[in-house]
């Protein structure tokens, strides 16, 4: 598969305008002349994009780190978030640092202790959870690379929802 940004111009290909020559090259007639390559010269994308957590929202308000705040450090370097019983509505945004075709990256998330299996989010880069019961959870996020291959780049954030005092 080629993306339209793989080439300096938009290429139009016609059905039946391909050819495999005696040297093993694949040739395509395009609206911009001839495109050819040898299939052995194509390398599979093995880049594993790291995942970052740019934003945490609790009760739909961005959580800023601070001395007396919910977070002491930015959420991307936080390992565990502890929420009070009345803060059990939150969202976490994430992004795979894939610069070649970021629009081609797909995501999946799972809140262990709540979700039974992975939730495939397509291009959506945020998860929302509402009315979580008291308990310990682990939010796991993973992504594909720009070729759509699921990578071993899982990130996790522990979420603890405290019970009410009553």
């Amino acid at each position: 598969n080629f993306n339209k940004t793989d080439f300096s111009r938009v290429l139009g290909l016609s059905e039946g305008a391909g050819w495999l020559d005696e040297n093993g090259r694949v040739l395509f007639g395009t609206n911009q002349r001839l495109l050819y390559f040898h299939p052995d010269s194509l390398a599979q994308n093995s880049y594993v994009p790291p995942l970052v957590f740019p934003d945490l929202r609790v009760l739909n308000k961005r959580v800023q780190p601070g001395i007396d705040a919910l977070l002491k450090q930015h959420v991307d370097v936080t390992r565990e978030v502890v929420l009070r019983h009345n803060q059990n509505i939150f969202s976490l945004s994430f992004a795979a640092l894939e610069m070649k075709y970021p629009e081609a990256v797909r995501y999946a998330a799972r809140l262990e202790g709540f979700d039974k299996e992975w939730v495939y989010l397509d291009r959506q880069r945020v998860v929302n959870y509402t009315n979580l019961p008291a308990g310990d959870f682990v939010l796991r996020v993973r992504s594909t690379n720009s070729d759509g291959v699921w990578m071993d780049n899982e990130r996790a954030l522990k979420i603890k929802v405290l019970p009410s005092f009553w």
Side-chain angles (χ1 to χ4, degrees), residues 107-150:
Y107 298 92
R110 179 177 181 216
L111 186 60
E112 286 183 357
F114 189 78
D115 294 325
K116 297 209 182 314
E117 53 191 46
W118 286 93
V119 177
Y120 292 92
L121 305 167
D122 196 38
R123 295 179 189 151
Q124 182 179 319
R125 297 183 310 124
V126 64
V127 289
N128 301 293
Y129 288 94
T130 60
N131 297 322
L132 283 178
D136 295 313
F137 307 94
V138 179
L139 179 58
R140 299 186 181 282
V141 179
R142 64 184 182 171
S143 79
T144 67
N145 63 13
S146 61
D147 284 344
V149 177
W150 287 100

Side-chain angles (χ1 to χ4, degrees), residues 53 56 63 65 70-82 92 155-159:
F53 295 152
L56 172 68
V63 177
L70 182 66
L71 295 176
K72 303 301 180 218
Q73 305 176 54
H74 191 275
V75 67
D76 192 49
V77 293
T78 299
R79 294 184 184 262
E80 182 177 26
V81 175
V82 179
L92 180 72
R155 284 282 310 267
L157 178 64
K158 293 179 182 177
I159 308 285

